[in-house]
Amino acid sequence: MEEVKCEMCLHTSKTRKIYDYEGKKLCKECIVTLKYPRDFEKMKKEVEEFLSKKRINKRYHCIVALSGGKDSVVALYLAKEKFNLNPLCVTVDNKYLAKEAIENCYNVTRHLGVDWIVLQRDYTKLFEEALNKGESPCRKCSEWNMREIWRIAKLMDIDVIITGHELPFGTTAIREMKEGIKMVRLLAPYRLTEEERYNILKKLPWKKPNLGGYTTNCLVLGVALERFYKKYGFSFEFDRISAMVRFGLISREKAMKALECPKVPKEVYEELKRRGLKINFEGDDES
Ligand SMILES: [Zn+2]
């Protein structure tokens, strides 16, 4: 059967059912997006109104979930410089953050004059299990991180957690968490291009590490993508990147490149091993 392509995103008849909709070939997600368009101006207004509410008696206006990667650093910059917030930056060090990411957190928070705390955790088991099965550890890892950060918010009586995610929750960038704490995906309404992000990063003492794939903080992601790719023949980021194409956040060309199997530098494997991660290389060339 001939492959039919969605005209709006990257899905094809191999990955989704493709429908005829108002004269176009589209996947279900794209049809939903056309029926209920994301109103980014409205989202922006909502976020700006929400964040401009004075939190007078609070030492910290919000938490910024800071991984040291490019997006969370840009979110921190916007929180501080655009919204004049005094954030508490919280980093969950799961034992496999690149040392450059920690250095970037240190340098950027010092440069901006904001406080920063690090939670020392150990996700070795999670990563070993996922990598050895060729599955993605990302969802669980970010759930665990969010749970840790929520606890700090609760403990410190801070009711806003800002993250660097670039896709909204459906049609809004603000999500209610447990017990009145709200999560704000600060980059979502602004739809900054990669170039615009790097222009912000240039103003900061932030250095880009070479980790394989597109990550700028995680030692595990490139390896996870590589192993998933070997097993299934495509990237586990396919849906997310496809959504970015749907919302016009990334060009088709860049998206296709982002979905290629990453080339992970040998040093990343060595560093993972040094930190205690045992990856089973059975059946691979390297041993
Ligand atoms: Zn589509």
Side-chain angles (χ1 to χ4, degrees), residues 160-179:
V160 182
I161 298 172
I162 288 176
T163 75
H165 292 95
E166 51 206 335
L167 289 174
F169 308 104
T171 55
T172 174
I174 305 172
R175 172 182 273 177
E176 191 87 36
M177 298 173 83
K178 276 189 301 178
E179 299 185 41

Side-chain angles (χ1 to χ4, degrees), residues 6-12 15-16 18 26-38 40 167 191 238-252 255:
C6 174
E7 290 178 39
M8 231 175 112
C9 74
L10 299 176
H11 281 304
T12 71
T15 54
R16 284 290 186 278
I18 305 292
L26 295 170
C27 73
K28 198 173 147 202
E29 282 105 316
C30 287
I31 293 173
V32 170
T33 302
L34 287 179
K35 276 190 184 163
Y36 308 98
R38 307 301 196 257
F40 288 95
L167 289 174
R191 297 202 283 175
F238 189 88
D239 285 0
R240 192 179 68 86
I241 305 254
S242 203
M244 288 174 67
V245 173
R246 180 175 311 126
F247 298 129
L249 292 169
I250 187 174
S251 71
R252 220 162 249 279

